[in-house]
Amino acid sequence: MYEDRIRCDSLRNKITSAADAALAIKDGMRVGASGFTRAGDAKAVTLALAERARHADKPLRITLMTGASLGHDVDRMLTEAHVLARRLPFQVDKTLRDAINRGEVMFVDQHLSETVEMLRANQLGKLDVAIIEAVAITESGGIVPTTSVGNSASFAILADKVIVEINLAQPLALEGLHDIWIPGRRPNRDPLPLVHARDRIGTPAIEIPADKIAAIVITDKPDSPSTVLPADTETNLIAGHLIEFFQHEVAHGRMPRRLPPLQAGIGTIANAVLAGFVDAPFDAFEIYSEVLQDSTFDLLDAGKVTFASGASITLSAARQAQVFGELERYRSRLVLRPQEVSNHPEVIRRLGLIALNTALEFDIYGNVNSTHVGGTHMMNGIGGSGDFARNASCAIFATKSTAKGGRVSSVVPMVPHCDHNEHDVDVVVTEQGLADLRGLAPRERATLIIQNCVHPQYRELLRDYYRDALRAGGQTPHRLEEAFAWHARLRDTGSMLPAAQAAA
């Protein structure tokens, strides 16, 4: 039974239902579940746990750790069933987000490279159970992940018990794409021996003692498709500004003609901008990133990208069907790694990555807010953007210059929450233009950002603010009594524009 998927004879008697497997999870436990940006997530046991909690006569609340966001409404269902006491390190679900902002779920927003480092060092407590989606279990009990590695490997290694979901909807052809390498414990750790994006340094499966596997659940659900939107006029303009910038860097000898490896964050803007490189005058470059999106395969098909390394593959429904039906064509050009390798500062610095991530907003000095609306309300989390921005050779943040039909400016006097300070930000870009901030003092940054990146309806407002701030002096001039006036106006009136301008 399932001999092609469960090759360890002694484990076939561990097959059980999702409901029975979920009985291993008790109130107060810490649970690690596979899943990274809707890919390779545990799809059955988590939902069975939610169903059990709905009918329980006692509280059933857990700490849930993942790689990143989950698909299949898992976070929503767990939230509605009041299962989540604590959640980390990333999420994108609206129901969960609302519960976080009401204070009902304690959300720990973490750099994605750090979660299992902290778990390994016993800074987050003991992991009781890991739930890992797999395409197969090897003869020795090794777990072959599906479309993501994320934190799955370390969860399986560190947990007391492991539940494996064998997903028949995930193609066996995924086997061989993974490269599982786990760092040693600090402080006596060897260097991470990865010097090219294409290097393979580990094993194709998560090797754990077979007797740690407490249950196996058979599932048959494909990954939730990506929700990214297609490119539009504004994202095409952003891509154009970046391509022109890279051409300028190459012409002046600051970048090689074959660009350094690129990283692109998850989401519509980053995916659309990366897709714009299909028509760019750059060839034979590599991608070293967290998430391999539709744009990655556009670039592979166009012959622009020679190799792509990531922690997960997250695709639209149509692209998912095409790629998984033709995995042999891509196999030699892909690898999936643990996120503590894909996001490792040592590797990012060594490879000299160009990092492209998305901002909610940035201010006139180049400080970036990626996470909190109005400085208070969590959106999704910092994700891996900090891992890359701090260590990349060129850290770029992109956003459209306005949101909500022009009622919100994405460039503000001062960000009310700072995820990436000016020291880690090299370039900011909107559809209006690009500001290269490298080597500039704060006053120089402000002038350039206002001129190049701000939407025209907000440009004079920001110039007025900056002129007033200059009278107060300082290396980084601000009028503190006015710095958050735009956000207060948005809160009170629904627009950052002054009343007269908003009415017009």
Side-chain angles (χ1 to χ4, degrees), residues 166-210:
I166 297 290
N167 190 343
L168 304 180
Q170 301 278 29
L172 264 174
L174 288 166
E175 189 168 5
L177 287 187
H178 312 95
D179 186 50
I180 311 300
W181 187 90
I182 304 298
R185 292 183 182 268
R186 296 180 292 197
N188 302 310
R189 175 181 293 177
D190 291 332
L192 201 161
L194 198 157
V195 295
H196 302 98
R198 62 185 178 275
D199 287 349
R200 289 179 176 270
I201 59 175
T203 60
I206 303 166
E207 299 296 341
I208 61 170

Side-chain angles (χ1 to χ4, degrees), residues 83-273:
V83 172
L84 298 179
R86 187 175 298 271
R87 180 75 169 85
L88 58 154
F90 189 81
Q91 55 76 42
V92 298
D93 182 80
K94 183 183 184 305
T95 300
L96 174 55
R97 182 186 306 141
D98 290 344
I100 290 166
N101 288 321
R102 290 193 301 268
E104 295 171 7
V105 176
M106 296 295 103
F107 178 59
V108 184
D109 184 21
Q110 291 182 320
H111 298 298
L112 295 188
S113 68
E114 292 189 343
T115 303
V116 292
E117 287 278 27
M118 296 179 72
L119 195 60
R120 187 182 293 117
N122 198 30
Q123 295 168 358
L124 298 176
K126 178 176 66 69
L127 192 65
D128 297 293
V129 177
I131 313 168
I132 310 297
E133 183 180 85
V135 72
I137 298 175
T138 68
E139 290 80 358
S140 63
I143 301 169
V144 181
T146 57
T147 46
S148 71
V149 180
N151 282 329
S152 298
S154 288
F155 286 162
I157 291 167
L158 295 170
D160 289 341
K161 294 180 180 180
V162 179
I163 299 169
V164 179
E165 293 188 5
I166 297 290
N167 190 343
L168 304 180
Q170 301 278 29
L172 264 174
L174 288 166
E175 189 168 5
L177 287 187
H178 312 95
D179 186 50
I180 311 300
W181 187 90
I182 304 298
R185 292 183 182 268
R186 296 180 292 197
N188 302 310
R189 175 181 293 177
D190 291 332
L192 201 161
L194 198 157
V195 295
H196 302 98
R198 62 185 178 275
D199 287 349
R200 289 179 176 270
I201 59 175
T203 60
I206 303 166
E207 299 296 341
I208 61 170
D211 58 10
K212 280 188 67 172
I213 297 177
I216 299 172
V217 176
I218 307 300
T219 69
D220 192 13
K221 282 187 180 179
D223 286 337
S224 295
S226 166
T227 57
V228 298
L229 300 173
D232 58 24
T233 300
E234 291 166 316
T235 55
N236 286 336
L237 286 169
I238 293 171
H241 297 319
L242 285 171
I243 290 166
E244 183 179 354
F245 167 71
F246 292 140
Q247 287 179 293
H248 185 267
E249 292 296 287
V250 170
H252 287 78
R254 291 189 288 266
M255 284 186 185
R257 185 164 298 278
R258 178 180 177 179
L259 293 178
L262 265 64
Q263 175 265 336
I266 189 68
T268 295
I269 292 178
N271 182 69
V273 170

